[in-house]
Amino acid sequence: MRPPVLSINSIACGGILIVVGVAGYILENAKSALYSGLIFGFLNIFFGVEMFTGLNWSRKASALINSLLLAMLTWRVFLGWSKFLSGEINANWHVPMMVTTMWIAVAWLVSSFIRDKDHISKRPHHS
């Protein structure tokens, strides 16, 4: 049996968030990057495993949480690059680049929820 694309994408996104969060902590001592990367990374991995087993609530919960995370990261990307371009960060591009990488991973996952049409046609019909 081939795993659903959303479950693979969710697990991959979770892995990316964890790696970027740990890198942010190691390179810049950014505890918020570590916490958000670990929390949302493990949540995405958990939701990916649950989607693989066929639990529909995990798909809805993941779509909601990642949409909210995308909104928050959009703001953080804007602030990070604004500070960098204005010279506030002392030419340190690591922080905005890490937040942008997290944004790309989450945007990719949210877009895969939008593109996924299989879950509509494969819902069990109750008689």
Side-chain angles (χ1 to χ4, degrees), residues 73-89 92-101:
L73 286 173
T74 301
W75 179 246
R76 298 270 320 266
V77 165
F78 174 75
L79 286 179
W81 285 112
S82 295
K83 287 181 179 182
F84 173 74
L85 292 173
S86 70
E88 261 185 71
I89 301 183
N92 185 353
W93 55 271
H94 296 125
V95 174
M97 185 55 80
M98 286 184 279
V99 177
T100 301
T101 304

mmCIF file with all atom_site columns, all heavy atoms in Angstrom, residues 73-89 92-101:
data_model
loop_
_atom_site.group_PDB
_atom_site.id
_atom_site.type_symbol
_atom_site.label_atom_id
_atom_site.label_alt_id
_atom_site.label_comp_id
_atom_site.label_asym_id
_atom_site.label_entity_id
_atom_site.label_seq_id
_atom_site.pdbx_PDB_ins_code
_atom_site.Cartn_x
_atom_site.Cartn_y
_atom_site.Cartn_z
_atom_site.occupancy
_atom_site.B_iso_or_equiv
_atom_site.pdbx_formal_charge
_atom_site.auth_seq_id
_atom_site.auth_comp_id
_atom_site.auth_asym_id
_atom_site.auth_atom_id
_atom_site.pdbx_PDB_model_num
ATOM 1   N N   . LEU A 1 73  ? 4.409  32.731 10.579 1.00 0.00 ? 73  LEU A N   1
ATOM 2   C CA  . LEU A 1 73  ? 5.713  32.763 9.928  1.00 0.00 ? 73  LEU A CA  1
ATOM 3   C C   . LEU A 1 73  ? 5.773  33.846 8.845  1.00 0.00 ? 73  LEU A C   1
ATOM 4   O O   . LEU A 1 73  ? 6.837  34.426 8.616  1.00 0.00 ? 73  LEU A O   1
ATOM 5   C CB  . LEU A 1 73  ? 6.043  31.400 9.314  1.00 0.00 ? 73  LEU A CB  1
ATOM 6   C CG  . LEU A 1 73  ? 6.424  30.306 10.306 1.00 0.00 ? 73  LEU A CG  1
ATOM 7   C CD1 . LEU A 1 73  ? 6.558  28.972 9.583  1.00 0.00 ? 73  LEU A CD1 1
ATOM 8   C CD2 . LEU A 1 73  ? 7.696  30.639 11.053 1.00 0.00 ? 73  LEU A CD2 1
ATOM 9   N N   . THR A 1 74  ? 4.650  34.134 8.211  1.00 0.00 ? 74  THR A N   1
ATOM 10  C CA  . THR A 1 74  ? 4.616  35.219 7.223  1.00 0.00 ? 74  THR A CA  1
ATOM 11  C C   . THR A 1 74  ? 4.999  36.532 7.886  1.00 0.00 ? 74  THR A C   1
ATOM 12  O O   . THR A 1 74  ? 5.799  37.313 7.355  1.00 0.00 ? 74  THR A O   1
ATOM 13  C CB  . THR A 1 74  ? 3.227  35.312 6.570  1.00 0.00 ? 74  THR A CB  1
ATOM 14  O OG1 . THR A 1 74  ? 2.929  34.073 5.932  1.00 0.00 ? 74  THR A OG1 1
ATOM 15  C CG2 . THR A 1 74  ? 3.150  36.439 5.556  1.00 0.00 ? 74  THR A CG2 1
ATOM 16  N N   . TRP A 1 75  ? 4.441  36.771 9.056  1.00 0.00 ? 75  TRP A N   1
ATOM 17  C CA  . TRP A 1 75  ? 4.773  37.985 9.803  1.00 0.00 ? 75  TRP A CA  1
ATOM 18  C C   . TRP A 1 75  ? 6.239  37.992 10.225 1.00 0.00 ? 75  TRP A C   1
ATOM 19  O O   . TRP A 1 75  ? 6.937  38.996 10.118 1.00 0.00 ? 75  TRP A O   1
ATOM 20  C CB  . TRP A 1 75  ? 3.855  38.107 11.012 1.00 0.00 ? 75  TRP A CB  1
ATOM 21  C CG  . TRP A 1 75  ? 4.141  39.305 11.855 1.00 0.00 ? 75  TRP A CG  1
ATOM 22  C CD1 . TRP A 1 75  ? 4.603  39.306 13.129 1.00 0.00 ? 75  TRP A CD1 1
ATOM 23  C CD2 . TRP A 1 75  ? 3.989  40.676 11.486 1.00 0.00 ? 75  TRP A CD2 1
ATOM 24  N NE1 . TRP A 1 75  ? 4.755  40.601 13.585 1.00 0.00 ? 75  TRP A NE1 1
ATOM 25  C CE2 . TRP A 1 75  ? 4.381  41.465 12.587 1.00 0.00 ? 75  TRP A CE2 1
ATOM 26  C CE3 . TRP A 1 75  ? 3.572  41.320 10.321 1.00 0.00 ? 75  TRP A CE3 1
ATOM 27  C CZ2 . TRP A 1 75  ? 4.370  42.842 12.557 1.00 0.00 ? 75  TRP A CZ2 1
ATOM 28  C CZ3 . TRP A 1 75  ? 3.551  42.705 10.302 1.00 0.00 ? 75  TRP A CZ3 1
ATOM 29  C CH2 . TRP A 1 75  ? 3.957  43.440 11.410 1.00 0.00 ? 75  TRP A CH2 1
ATOM 30  N N   . ARG A 1 76  ? 6.724  36.842 10.696 1.00 0.00 ? 76  ARG A N   1
ATOM 31  C CA  . ARG A 1 76  ? 8.128  36.752 11.128 1.00 0.00 ? 76  ARG A CA  1
ATOM 32  C C   . ARG A 1 76  ? 9.097  36.934 9.963  1.00 0.00 ? 76  ARG A C   1
ATOM 33  O O   . ARG A 1 76  ? 10.150 37.545 10.124 1.00 0.00 ? 76  ARG A O   1
ATOM 34  C CB  . ARG A 1 76  ? 8.403  35.398 11.803 1.00 0.00 ? 76  ARG A CB  1
ATOM 35  C CG  . ARG A 1 76  ? 7.627  35.094 13.048 1.00 0.00 ? 76  ARG A CG  1
ATOM 36  C CD  . ARG A 1 76  ? 8.273  35.527 14.339 1.00 0.00 ? 76  ARG A CD  1
ATOM 37  N NE  . ARG A 1 76  ? 9.683  35.352 14.454 1.00 0.00 ? 76  ARG A NE  1
ATOM 38  C CZ  . ARG A 1 76  ? 10.300 34.308 14.998 1.00 0.00 ? 76  ARG A CZ  1
ATOM 39  N NH1 . ARG A 1 76  ? 9.610  33.312 15.499 1.00 0.00 ? 76  ARG A NH1 1
ATOM 40  N NH2 . ARG A 1 76  ? 11.608 34.273 15.081 1.00 0.00 ? 76  ARG A NH2 1
ATOM 41  N N   . VAL A 1 77  ? 8.754  36.413 8.789  1.00 0.00 ? 77  VAL A N   1
ATOM 42  C CA  . VAL A 1 77  ? 9.595  36.601 7.600  1.00 0.00 ? 77  VAL A CA  1
ATOM 43  C C   . VAL A 1 77  ? 9.652  38.081 7.242  1.00 0.00 ? 77  VAL A C   1
ATOM 44  O O   . VAL A 1 77  ? 10.730 38.631 6.984  1.00 0.00 ? 77  VAL A O   1
ATOM 45  C CB  . VAL A 1 77  ? 9.067  35.757 6.401  1.00 0.00 ? 77  VAL A CB  1
ATOM 46  C CG1 . VAL A 1 77  ? 9.682  36.208 5.090  1.00 0.00 ? 77  VAL A CG1 1
ATOM 47  C CG2 . VAL A 1 77  ? 9.332  34.283 6.630  1.00 0.00 ? 77  VAL A CG2 1
ATOM 48  N N   . PHE A 1 78  ? 8.503  38.737 7.246  1.00 0.00 ? 78  PHE A N   1
ATOM 49  C CA  . PHE A 1 78  ? 8.455  40.167 6.932  1.00 0.00 ? 78  PHE A CA  1
ATOM 50  C C   . PHE A 1 78  ? 9.304  40.971 7.913  1.00 0.00 ? 78  PHE A C   1
ATOM 51  O O   . PHE A 1 78  ? 10.122 41.805 7.512  1.00 0.00 ? 78  PHE A O   1
ATOM 52  C CB  . PHE A 1 78  ? 7.003  40.655 6.946  1.00 0.00 ? 78  PHE A CB  1
ATOM 53  C CG  . PHE A 1 78  ? 6.876  42.139 6.777  1.00 0.00 ? 78  PHE A CG  1
ATOM 54  C CD1 . PHE A 1 78  ? 7.066  42.723 5.538  1.00 0.00 ? 78  PHE A CD1 1
ATOM 55  C CD2 . PHE A 1 78  ? 6.578  42.941 7.861  1.00 0.00 ? 78  PHE A CD2 1
ATOM 56  C CE1 . PHE A 1 78  ? 6.965  44.098 5.381  1.00 0.00 ? 78  PHE A CE1 1
ATOM 57  C CE2 . PHE A 1 78  ? 6.476  44.316 7.718  1.00 0.00 ? 78  PHE A CE2 1
ATOM 58  C CZ  . PHE A 1 78  ? 6.666  44.898 6.477  1.00 0.00 ? 78  PHE A CZ  1
ATOM 59  N N   . LEU A 1 79  ? 9.131  40.697 9.207  1.00 0.00 ? 79  LEU A N   1
ATOM 60  C CA  . LEU A 1 79  ? 9.908  41.427 10.218 1.00 0.00 ? 79  LEU A CA  1
ATOM 61  C C   . LEU A 1 79  ? 11.402 41.142 10.098 1.00 0.00 ? 79  LEU A C   1
ATOM 62  O O   . LEU A 1 79  ? 12.229 42.056 10.196 1.00 0.00 ? 79  LEU A O   1
ATOM 63  C CB  . LEU A 1 79  ? 9.445  41.063 11.624 1.00 0.00 ? 79  LEU A CB  1
ATOM 64  C CG  . LEU A 1 79  ? 8.126  41.635 12.097 1.00 0.00 ? 79  LEU A CG  1
ATOM 65  C CD1 . LEU A 1 79  ? 7.821  41.145 13.508 1.00 0.00 ? 79  LEU A CD1 1
ATOM 66  C CD2 . LEU A 1 79  ? 8.144  43.145 12.057 1.00 0.00 ? 79  LEU A CD2 1
ATOM 67  N N   . GLY A 1 80  ? 11.765 39.885 9.920  1.00 0.00 ? 80  GLY A N   1
ATOM 68  C CA  . GLY A 1 80  ? 13.179 39.497 9.843  1.00 0.00 ? 80  GLY A CA  1
ATOM 69  C C   . GLY A 1 80  ? 13.899 40.156 8.683  1.00 0.00 ? 80  GLY A C   1
ATOM 70  O O   . GLY A 1 80  ? 14.989 40.712 8.854  1.00 0.00 ? 80  GLY A O   1
ATOM 71  N N   . TRP A 1 81  ? 13.295 40.107 7.493  1.00 0.00 ? 81  TRP A N   1
ATOM 72  C CA  . TRP A 1 81  ? 13.948 40.715 6.341  1.00 0.00 ? 81  TRP A CA  1
ATOM 73  C C   . TRP A 1 81  ? 13.923 42.237 6.422  1.00 0.00 ? 81  TRP A C   1
ATOM 74  O O   . TRP A 1 81  ? 14.861 42.896 5.957  1.00 0.00 ? 81  TRP A O   1
ATOM 75  C CB  . TRP A 1 81  ? 13.340 40.214 5.042  1.00 0.00 ? 81  TRP A CB  1
ATOM 76  C CG  . TRP A 1 81  ? 13.786 38.814 4.737  1.00 0.00 ? 81  TRP A CG  1
ATOM 77  C CD1 . TRP A 1 81  ? 13.016 37.698 4.746  1.00 0.00 ? 81  TRP A CD1 1
ATOM 78  C CD2 . TRP A 1 81  ? 15.107 38.379 4.422  1.00 0.00 ? 81  TRP A CD2 1
ATOM 79  N NE1 . TRP A 1 81  ? 13.776 36.591 4.456  1.00 0.00 ? 81  TRP A NE1 1
ATOM 80  C CE2 . TRP A 1 81  ? 15.068 36.987 4.241  1.00 0.00 ? 81  TRP A CE2 1
ATOM 81  C CE3 . TRP A 1 81  ? 16.332 39.031 4.277  1.00 0.00 ? 81  TRP A CE3 1
ATOM 82  C CZ2 . TRP A 1 81  ? 16.185 36.229 3.918  1.00 0.00 ? 81  TRP A CZ2 1
ATOM 83  C CZ3 . TRP A 1 81  ? 17.452 38.273 3.960  1.00 0.00 ? 81  TRP A CZ3 1
ATOM 84  C CH2 . TRP A 1 81  ? 17.373 36.897 3.776  1.00 0.00 ? 81  TRP A CH2 1
ATOM 85  N N   . SER A 1 82  ? 12.870 42.800 7.016  1.00 0.00 ? 82  SER A N   1
ATOM 86  C CA  . SER A 1 82  ? 12.829 44.260 7.197  1.00 0.00 ? 82  SER A CA  1
ATOM 87  C C   . SER A 1 82  ? 13.966 44.723 8.100  1.00 0.00 ? 82  SER A C   1
ATOM 88  O O   . SER A 1 82  ? 14.644 45.716 7.805  1.00 0.00 ? 82  SER A O   1
ATOM 89  C CB  . SER A 1 82  ? 11.499 44.693 7.796  1.00 0.00 ? 82  SER A CB  1
ATOM 90  O OG  . SER A 1 82  ? 10.454 44.424 6.920  1.00 0.00 ? 82  SER A OG  1
ATOM 91  N N   . LYS A 1 83  ? 14.170 44.006 9.197  1.00 0.00 ? 83  LYS A N   1
ATOM 92  C CA  . LYS A 1 83  ? 15.263 44.366 10.106 1.00 0.00 ? 83  LYS A CA  1
ATOM 93  C C   . LYS A 1 83  ? 16.623 44.178 9.446  1.00 0.00 ? 83  LYS A C   1
ATOM 94  O O   . LYS A 1 83  ? 17.523 44.998 9.622  1.00 0.00 ? 83  LYS A O   1
ATOM 95  C CB  . LYS A 1 83  ? 15.189 43.535 11.388 1.00 0.00 ? 83  LYS A CB  1
ATOM 96  C CG  . LYS A 1 83  ? 14.073 43.951 12.302 1.00 0.00 ? 83  LYS A CG  1
ATOM 97  C CD  . LYS A 1 83  ? 14.061 43.110 13.564 1.00 0.00 ? 83  LYS A CD  1
ATOM 98  C CE  . LYS A 1 83  ? 12.949 43.558 14.491 1.00 0.00 ? 83  LYS A CE  1
ATOM 99  N NZ  . LYS A 1 83  ? 12.946 42.783 15.731 1.00 0.00 ? 83  LYS A NZ  1
ATOM 100 N N   . PHE A 1 84  ? 16.771 43.107 8.684  1.00 0.00 ? 84  PHE A N   1
ATOM 101 C CA  . PHE A 1 84  ? 18.038 42.869 8.002  1.00 0.00 ? 84  PHE A CA  1
ATOM 102 C C   . PHE A 1 84  ? 18.327 43.969 6.980  1.00 0.00 ? 84  PHE A C   1
ATOM 103 O O   . PHE A 1 84  ? 19.428 44.512 6.930  1.00 0.00 ? 84  PHE A O   1
ATOM 104 C CB  . PHE A 1 84  ? 18.027 41.497 7.315  1.00 0.00 ? 84  PHE A CB  1
ATOM 105 C CG  . PHE A 1 84  ? 19.222 41.249 6.457  1.00 0.00 ? 84  PHE A CG  1
ATOM 106 C CD1 . PHE A 1 84  ? 20.452 40.973 7.029  1.00 0.00 ? 84  PHE A CD1 1
ATOM 107 C CD2 . PHE A 1 84  ? 19.125 41.300 5.074  1.00 0.00 ? 84  PHE A CD2 1
ATOM 108 C CE1 . PHE A 1 84  ? 21.570 40.747 6.230  1.00 0.00 ? 84  PHE A CE1 1
ATOM 109 C CE2 . PHE A 1 84  ? 20.235 41.076 4.279  1.00 0.00 ? 84  PHE A CE2 1
ATOM 110 C CZ  . PHE A 1 84  ? 21.461 40.800 4.859  1.00 0.00 ? 84  PHE A CZ  1
ATOM 111 N N   . LEU A 1 85  ? 17.327 44.297 6.171  1.00 0.00 ? 85  LEU A N   1
ATOM 112 C CA  . LEU A 1 85  ? 17.531 45.292 5.124  1.00 0.00 ? 85  LEU A CA  1
ATOM 113 C C   . LEU A 1 85  ? 17.736 46.704 5.681  1.00 0.00 ? 85  LEU A C   1
ATOM 114 O O   . LEU A 1 85  ? 18.401 47.525 5.058  1.00 0.00 ? 85  LEU A O   1
ATOM 115 C CB  . LEU A 1 85  ? 16.358 45.275 4.147  1.00 0.00 ? 85  LEU A CB  1
ATOM 116 C CG  . LEU A 1 85  ? 16.257 43.992 3.304  1.00 0.00 ? 85  LEU A CG  1
ATOM 117 C CD1 . LEU A 1 85  ? 14.981 43.990 2.482  1.00 0.00 ? 85  LEU A CD1 1
ATOM 118 C CD2 . LEU A 1 85  ? 17.471 43.819 2.417  1.00 0.00 ? 85  LEU A CD2 1
ATOM 119 N N   . SER A 1 86  ? 17.183 46.957 6.866  1.00 0.00 ? 86  SER A N   1
ATOM 120 C CA  . SER A 1 86  ? 17.380 48.282 7.473  1.00 0.00 ? 86  SER A CA  1
ATOM 121 C C   . SER A 1 86  ? 18.681 48.352 8.268  1.00 0.00 ? 86  SER A C   1
ATOM 122 O O   . SER A 1 86  ? 19.037 49.407 8.784  1.00 0.00 ? 86  SER A O   1
ATOM 123 C CB  . SER A 1 86  ? 16.199 48.629 8.372  1.00 0.00 ? 86  SER A CB  1
ATOM 124 O OG  . SER A 1 86  ? 16.199 47.813 9.521  1.00 0.00 ? 86  SER A OG  1
ATOM 125 N N   . GLY A 1 87  ? 19.381 47.224 8.406  1.00 0.00 ? 87  GLY A N   1
ATOM 126 C CA  . GLY A 1 87  ? 20.660 47.210 9.105  1.00 0.00 ? 87  GLY A CA  1
ATOM 127 C C   . GLY A 1 87  ? 20.561 46.945 10.596 1.00 0.00 ? 87  GLY A C   1
ATOM 128 O O   . GLY A 1 87  ? 21.557 46.982 11.297 1.00 0.00 ? 87  GLY A O   1
ATOM 129 N N   . GLU A 1 88  ? 19.368 46.656 11.090 1.00 0.00 ? 88  GLU A N   1
ATOM 130 C CA  . GLU A 1 88  ? 19.190 46.406 12.524 1.00 0.00 ? 88  GLU A CA  1
ATOM 131 C C   . GLU A 1 88  ? 19.867 45.133 12.993 1.00 0.00 ? 88  GLU A C   1
ATOM 132 O O   . GLU A 1 88  ? 20.270 45.014 14.129 1.00 0.00 ? 88  GLU A O   1
ATOM 133 C CB  . GLU A 1 88  ? 17.689 46.308 12.850 1.00 0.00 ? 88  GLU A CB  1
ATOM 134 C CG  . GLU A 1 88  ? 17.115 47.565 13.407 1.00 0.00 ? 88  GLU A CG  1
ATOM 135 C CD  . GLU A 1 88  ? 15.687 47.355 13.801 1.00 0.00 ? 88  GLU A CD  1
ATOM 136 O OE1 . GLU A 1 88  ? 15.425 46.657 14.808 1.00 0.00 ? 88  GLU A OE1 1
ATOM 137 O OE2 . GLU A 1 88  ? 14.819 47.884 13.089 1.00 0.00 ? 88  GLU A OE2 1
ATOM 138 N N   . ILE A 1 89  ? 19.976 44.152 12.125 1.00 0.00 ? 89  ILE A N   1
ATOM 139 C CA  . ILE A 1 89  ? 20.502 42.842 12.531 1.00 0.00 ? 89  ILE A CA  1
ATOM 140 C C   . ILE A 1 89  ? 22.015 42.772 12.355 1.00 0.00 ? 89  ILE A C   1
ATOM 141 O O   . ILE A 1 89  ? 22.619 41.749 12.577 1.00 0.00 ? 89  ILE A O   1
ATOM 142 C CB  . ILE A 1 89  ? 19.780 41.704 11.780 1.00 0.00 ? 89  ILE A CB  1
ATOM 143 C CG1 . ILE A 1 89  ? 18.291 41.733 12.062 1.00 0.00 ? 89  ILE A CG1 1
ATOM 144 C CG2 . ILE A 1 89  ? 20.303 40.352 12.170 1.00 0.00 ? 89  ILE A CG2 1
ATOM 145 C CD1 . ILE A 1 89  ? 17.522 40.618 11.437 1.00 0.00 ? 89  ILE A CD1 1
ATOM 146 N N   . ASN A 1 92  ? 23.384 40.187 9.680  1.00 0.00 ? 92  ASN A N   1
ATOM 147 C CA  . ASN A 1 92  ? 23.238 38.772 9.988  1.00 0.00 ? 92  ASN A CA  1
ATOM 148 C C   . ASN A 1 92  ? 21.999 38.247 9.266  1.00 0.00 ? 92  ASN A C   1
ATOM 149 O O   . ASN A 1 92  ? 20.882 38.491 9.687  1.00 0.00 ? 92  ASN A O   1
ATOM 150 C CB  . ASN A 1 92  ? 23.109 38.579 11.505 1.00 0.00 ? 92  ASN A CB  1
ATOM 151 C CG  . ASN A 1 92  ? 23.077 37.124 11.889 1.00 0.00 ? 92  ASN A CG  1
ATOM 152 O OD1 . ASN A 1 92  ? 23.023 36.247 11.036 1.00 0.00 ? 92  ASN A OD1 1
ATOM 153 N ND2 . ASN A 1 92  ? 23.102 36.876 13.165 1.00 0.00 ? 92  ASN A ND2 1
ATOM 154 N N   . TRP A 1 93  ? 22.208 37.512 8.197  1.00 0.00 ? 93  TRP A N   1
ATOM 155 C CA  . TRP A 1 93  ? 21.093 37.017 7.399  1.00 0.00 ? 93  TRP A CA  1
ATOM 156 C C   . TRP A 1 93  ? 20.619 35.635 7.835  1.00 0.00 ? 93  TRP A C   1
ATOM 157 O O   . TRP A 1 93  ? 19.656 35.115 7.281  1.00 0.00 ? 93  TRP A O   1
ATOM 158 C CB  . TRP A 1 93  ? 21.486 36.986 5.926  1.00 0.00 ? 93  TRP A CB  1
ATOM 159 C CG  . TRP A 1 93  ? 22.740 36.200 5.674  1.00 0.00 ? 93  TRP A CG  1
ATOM 160 C CD1 . TRP A 1 93  ? 24.008 36.673 5.691  1.00 0.00 ? 93  TRP A CD1 1
ATOM 161 C CD2 . TRP A 1 93  ? 22.834 34.798 5.424  1.00 0.00 ? 93  TRP A CD2 1
ATOM 162 N NE1 . TRP A 1 93  ? 24.902 35.659 5.463  1.00 0.00 ? 93  TRP A NE1 1
ATOM 163 C CE2 . TRP A 1 93  ? 24.203 34.489 5.290  1.00 0.00 ? 93  TRP A CE2 1
ATOM 164 C CE3 . TRP A 1 93  ? 21.914 33.776 5.305  1.00 0.00 ? 93  TRP A CE3 1
ATOM 165 C CZ2 . TRP A 1 93  ? 24.655 33.206 5.031  1.00 0.00 ? 93  TRP A CZ2 1
ATOM 166 C CZ3 . TRP A 1 93  ? 22.359 32.495 5.055  1.00 0.00 ? 93  TRP A CZ3 1
ATOM 167 C CH2 . TRP A 1 93  ? 23.724 32.220 4.914  1.00 0.00 ? 93  TRP A CH2 1
ATOM 168 N N   . HIS A 1 94  ? 21.282 35.021 8.827  1.00 0.00 ? 94  HIS A N   1
ATOM 169 C CA  . HIS A 1 94  ? 20.909 33.662 9.238  1.00 0.00 ? 94  HIS A CA  1
ATOM 170 C C   . HIS A 1 94  ? 19.475 33.576 9.738  1.00 0.00 ? 94  HIS A C   1
ATOM 171 O O   . HIS A 1 94  ? 18.739 32.669 9.362  1.00 0.00 ? 94  HIS A O   1
ATOM 172 C CB  . HIS A 1 94  ? 21.843 33.144 10.342 1.00 0.00 ? 94  HIS A CB  1
ATOM 173 C CG  . HIS A 1 94  ? 23.253 32.988 9.917  1.00 0.00 ? 94  HIS A CG  1
ATOM 174 N ND1 . HIS A 1 94  ? 24.284 33.597 10.577 1.00 0.00 ? 94  HIS A ND1 1
ATOM 175 C CD2 . HIS A 1 94  ? 23.814 32.293 8.895  1.00 0.00 ? 94  HIS A CD2 1
ATOM 176 C CE1 . HIS A 1 94  ? 25.418 33.291 9.992  1.00 0.00 ? 94  HIS A CE1 1
ATOM 177 N NE2 . HIS A 1 94  ? 25.155 32.506 8.970  1.00 0.00 ? 94  HIS A NE2 1
ATOM 178 N N   . VAL A 1 95  ? 19.089 34.498 10.602 1.00 0.00 ? 95  VAL A N   1
ATOM 179 C CA  . VAL A 1 95  ? 17.758 34.419 11.223 1.00 0.00 ? 95  VAL A CA  1
ATOM 180 C C   . VAL A 1 95  ? 16.647 34.564 10.185 1.00 0.00 ? 95  VAL A C   1
ATOM 181 O O   . VAL A 1 95  ? 15.759 33.707 10.107 1.00 0.00 ? 95  VAL A O   1
ATOM 182 C CB  . VAL A 1 95  ? 17.623 35.439 12.372 1.00 0.00 ? 95  VAL A CB  1
ATOM 183 C CG1 . VAL A 1 95  ? 16.207 35.459 12.908 1.00 0.00 ? 95  VAL A CG1 1
ATOM 184 C CG2 . VAL A 1 95  ? 18.617 35.125 13.477 1.00 0.00 ? 95  VAL A CG2 1
ATOM 185 N N   . PRO A 1 96  ? 16.651 35.619 9.344  1.00 0.00 ? 96  PRO A N   1
ATOM 186 C CA  . PRO A 1 96  ? 15.566 35.690 8.361  1.00 0.00 ? 96  PRO A CA  1
ATOM 187 C C   . PRO A 1 96  ? 15.588 34.533 7.367  1.00 0.00 ? 96  PRO A C   1
ATOM 188 O O   . PRO A 1 96  ? 14.531 34.088 6.918  1.00 0.00 ? 96  PRO A O   1
ATOM 189 C CB  . PRO A 1 96  ? 15.776 37.035 7.659  1.00 0.00 ? 96  PRO A CB  1
ATOM 190 C CG  . PRO A 1 96  ? 17.041 37.601 8.161  1.00 0.00 ? 96  PRO A CG  1
ATOM 191 C CD  . PRO A 1 96  ? 17.483 36.818 9.337  1.00 0.00 ? 96  PRO A CD  1
ATOM 192 N N   . MET A 1 97  ? 16.774 34.011 7.055  1.00 0.00 ? 97  MET A N   1
ATOM 193 C CA  . MET A 1 97  ? 16.847 32.891 6.121  1.00 0.00 ? 97  MET A CA  1
ATOM 194 C C   . MET A 1 97  ? 16.256 31.620 6.741  1.00 0.00 ? 97  MET A C   1
ATOM 195 O O   . MET A 1 97  ? 15.564 30.855 6.061  1.00 0.00 ? 97  MET A O   1
ATOM 196 C CB  . MET A 1 97  ? 18.301 32.647 5.685  1.00 0.00 ? 97  MET A CB  1
ATOM 197 C CG  . MET A 1 97  ? 18.420 31.572 4.634  1.00 0.00 ? 97  MET A CG  1
ATOM 198 S SD  . MET A 1 97  ? 17.415 31.886 3.181  1.00 0.00 ? 97  MET A SD  1
ATOM 199 C CE  . MET A 1 97  ? 18.427 33.037 2.330  1.00 0.00 ? 97  MET A CE  1
ATOM 200 N N   . MET A 1 98  ? 16.499 31.387 8.032  1.00 0.00 ? 98  MET A N   1
ATOM 201 C CA  . MET A 1 98  ? 15.931 30.207 8.692  1.00 0.00 ? 98  MET A CA  1
ATOM 202 C C   . MET A 1 98  ? 14.412 30.309 8.783  1.00 0.00 ? 98  MET A C   1
ATOM 203 O O   . MET A 1 98  ? 13.705 29.327 8.541  1.00 0.00 ? 98  MET A O   1
ATOM 204 C CB  . MET A 1 98  ? 16.557 30.027 10.071 1.00 0.00 ? 98  MET A CB  1
ATOM 205 C CG  . MET A 1 98  ? 17.974 29.510 10.006 1.00 0.00 ? 98  MET A CG  1
ATOM 206 S SD  . MET A 1 98  ? 18.691 29.175 11.605 1.00 0.00 ? 98  MET A SD  1
ATOM 207 C CE  . MET A 1 98  ? 19.171 30.811 12.088 1.00 0.00 ? 98  MET A CE  1
ATOM 208 N N   . VAL A 1 99  ? 13.907 31.489 9.110  1.00 0.00 ? 99  VAL A N   1
ATOM 209 C CA  . VAL A 1 99  ? 12.449 31.673 9.183  1.00 0.00 ? 99  VAL A CA  1
ATOM 210 C C   . VAL A 1 99  ? 11.840 31.519 7.792  1.00 0.00 ? 99  VAL A C   1
ATOM 211 O O   . VAL A 1 99  ? 10.767 30.923 7.648  1.00 0.00 ? 99  VAL A O   1
ATOM 212 C CB  . VAL A 1 99  ? 12.099 33.043 9.810  1.00 0.00 ? 99  VAL A CB  1
ATOM 213 C CG1 . VAL A 1 99  ? 10.611 33.269 9.808  1.00 0.00 ? 99  VAL A CG1 1
ATOM 214 C CG2 . VAL A 1 99  ? 12.639 33.131 11.225 1.00 0.00 ? 99  VAL A CG2 1
ATOM 215 N N   . THR A 1 100 ? 12.530 32.010 6.774  1.00 0.00 ? 100 THR A N   1
ATOM 216 C CA  . THR A 1 100 ? 12.043 31.854 5.404  1.00 0.00 ? 100 THR A CA  1
ATOM 217 C C   . THR A 1 100 ? 12.015 30.381 5.002  1.00 0.00 ? 100 THR A C   1
ATOM 218 O O   . THR A 1 100 ? 11.072 29.929 4.345  1.00 0.00 ? 100 THR A O   1
ATOM 219 C CB  . THR A 1 100 ? 12.928 32.654 4.422  1.00 0.00 ? 100 THR A CB  1
ATOM 220 O OG1 . THR A 1 100 ? 12.909 34.026 4.809  1.00 0.00 ? 100 THR A OG1 1
ATOM 221 C CG2 . THR A 1 100 ? 12.436 32.523 3.000  1.00 0.00 ? 100 THR A CG2 1
ATOM 222 N N   . THR A 1 101 ? 13.004 29.616 5.417  1.00 0.00 ? 101 THR A N   1
ATOM 223 C CA  . THR A 1 101 ? 13.022 28.181 5.123  1.00 0.00 ? 101 THR A CA  1
ATOM 224 C C   . THR A 1 101 ? 11.849 27.479 5.800  1.00 0.00 ? 101 THR A C   1
ATOM 225 O O   . THR A 1 101 ? 11.189 26.627 5.189  1.00 0.00 ? 101 THR A O   1
ATOM 226 C CB  . THR A 1 101 ? 14.356 27.552 5.588  1.00 0.00 ? 101 THR A CB  1
ATOM 227 O OG1 . THR A 1 101 ? 15.431 28.253 4.962  1.00 0.00 ? 101 THR A OG1 1
ATOM 228 C CG2 . THR A 1 101 ? 14.427 26.081 5.239  1.00 0.00 ? 101 THR A CG2 1
#
